[in-house]
Amino acid sequence: MEHDPSEKTVQERKPKRKQKKASKNDREADDPTLPQLVSLTKEQQECLEAFKKRAEELSRQYDADLRTWAADTLCLLRYLRARNFNIEKSEKMLAESLKWRSEFGPHKINPDDVKEVLKLGTLYQNGKDKEGRPLLFIKPGTYNPHSVETKVRTMIYTLEQAIARMDRSKGVEKMVWFMDFTDYASRARSPDGRKVAQTCLGLLQDHYPERLGLAFIVNPPWWVSLLFTILSPFMDAVTKAKIHFISGDPAKLHAQLCDFVEDDQLERCYGGLRDVPNFTNESSLATGASFGTPPSADTS
């Protein structure tokens, strides 16, 4: 029987399965030329590959968002580095983070739920340092009447948005923190400030490993310097070297910061040329323009 070319076989008629397009972050994470991957030793590469398999097993019980998060090569590498490439310790840390992200939902925080805290201008992201790392500011000079939970969620929201803005293709994974006490006064201090600080520091340490690039403590009161003196013996040398205490007027602050941040990225209160975001502009808040929310962040 002669075959009619106009008739398609069953195989030909079967619709082709559409392949999922890899996201930008997926492609970057698998790019062997990324600085973080190029610097790995052979033993570390083998450790990373073994950890990927364990992470896949750990994340199976969670939703697609968390499975994607746990499959990110650079994310897994940060957990390994935080535990000196000890797979067992890294696996325990990752398991705890998966559980926390599932319950807390840091990637699902609605900006409307934290906008009243953002309007105070005590916590925000503005500019980048010379290495392209986002600058995050904490300025406890205004009384914050909101609950501990809302304050913590605002911190995590700001952190997640700063991470979403990082240029991973250039190896940017860390951020720079400014803890600015210039306008701080005891009367403006929130009564639960210590609890909020302890909670946030714990979350940063446990669930955002290897994210701190530098930290500048600006015009600190005496008790902050004393606290650092007490805690410093318990800090590792790498972390301690990242913390800088700076003080003075804008000109003096600029002299201490100009090696790290370009003038167009540095706020005027530090001797730079950059304005502070408008925290009362509702339209800017709605689009996230004032607080570092990317228009279309690829967080996969």
Side-chain angles (χ1 to χ4, degrees):
M1 182 176 178
E2 188 174 352
H3 174 67
D4 184 349
S6 64
E7 294 183 1
K8 293 184 177 181
T9 64
V10 174
Q11 181 68 24
E12 291 171 327
R13 286 198 304 269
K14 188 176 181 180
K16 292 183 178 180
R17 190 174 183 179
K18 188 176 181 180
Q19 290 185 334
K20 182 182 176 182
K21 184 179 180 181
S23 70
K24 180 174 178 285
N25 280 0
D26 288 337
R27 293 192 298 272
E28 289 170 353
D30 293 330
D31 183 355
T33 64
L34 283 174
Q36 298 94 322
L37 301 180
V38 171
S39 61
L40 294 179
T41 65
K42 181 180 178 181
E43 291 74 17
Q44 290 172 337
Q45 290 174 350
E46 293 173 349
C47 186
L48 176 58
E49 292 305 316
F51 190 42
K52 285 181 180 180
K53 296 178 181 178
R54 296 202 184 188
E56 183 179 2
E57 291 292 330
L58 281 174
S59 64
R60 282 183 178 175
Q61 62 181 298
Y62 297 101
D63 62 23
D65 287 341
L66 288 181
R67 291 197 300 273
T68 300
W69 176 82
D72 183 272
T73 302
L74 298 185
C75 173
L76 298 180
L77 188 54
R78 286 191 297 274
Y79 277 79
L80 284 172
R81 283 181 168 146
R83 294 295 179 263
N84 296 316
F85 283 84
N86 182 305
I87 292 185
E88 283 69 30
K89 291 182 179 180
S90 300
E91 182 178 0
K92 180 181 178 182
M93 187 182 192
L94 183 66
E96 292 171 349
S97 290
L98 279 166
K99 184 175 184 295
W100 174 75
R101 292 186 76 87
S102 176
E103 297 172 351
F104 191 92
H107 53 300
K108 297 179 179 179
I109 297 175
N110 188 328
D112 287 338
D113 295 338
V114 298
K115 71 178 183 180
E116 294 304 320
V117 180
L118 292 173
K119 283 181 179 180
L120 296 174
T122 59
L123 174 64
Y124 61 94
Q125 187 252 316
N126 189 24
K128 300 177 181 179
D129 76 345
K130 290 184 178 181
E131 296 183 22
R133 300 175 295 194
L135 310 181
L136 271 72
F137 294 85
I138 301 176
K139 298 182 177 181
T142 301
Y143 180 74
N144 188 338
H146 299 280
S147 67
V148 171
E149 181 183 1
T150 300
K151 292 174 185 176
V152 171
R153 291 188 74 81
T154 306
M155 168 70 80
I156 298 302
Y157 170 80
T158 306
L159 185 63
E160 289 281 326
Q161 296 304 320
I163 291 172
R165 280 188 170 273
M166 293 179 181
D167 189 345
R168 290 163 49 109
S169 67
K170 295 182 180 178
V172 179
E173 290 188 285
K174 301 178 185 293
M175 58 195 73
V176 178
W177 289 85
F178 280 72
M179 177 70 80
D180 191 344
F181 291 91
T182 300
D183 297 322
Y184 178 85
S186 58
R187 64 179 179 275
R189 184 173 59 198
S190 301
D192 53 15
R194 180 177 297 180
K195 183 177 181 180
V196 173
Q198 290 176 336
T199 301
C200 289
L201 286 173
L203 293 175
L204 291 172
Q205 177 177 293
D206 295 339
H207 307 304
Y208 294 89
E210 298 294 300
R211 286 296 194 183
L212 177 64
L214 293 170
F216 294 102
I217 315 299
V218 185
N219 291 324
W222 66 269
W223 58 268
V224 173
S225 300
L226 176 61
L227 182 61
F228 179 80
T229 301
I230 295 173
L231 295 177
S232 60
F234 303 99
M235 296 182 184
D236 62 82
V238 175
T239 300
K240 193 184 301 185
K242 295 177 180 179
I243 302 174
H244 301 262
F245 283 75
I246 61 177
S247 59
D249 58 24
K252 290 182 179 179
L253 292 174
H254 181 267
Q256 299 169 82
L257 291 168
C258 61
D259 288 339
F260 303 97
V261 187
E262 298 287 1
D263 284 357
D264 64 341
Q265 298 293 310
L266 188 63
E267 292 183 0
R268 296 182 187 279
C269 58
Y270 308 114
L273 303 173
R274 194 176 185 89
D275 292 326
V276 174
N278 183 356
F279 301 107
T280 60
N281 189 323
E282 285 289 341
S283 61
S284 295
L285 181 61
T287 60
S290 296
F291 307 105
T293 305
S296 57
D298 180 4
T299 57
S300 60

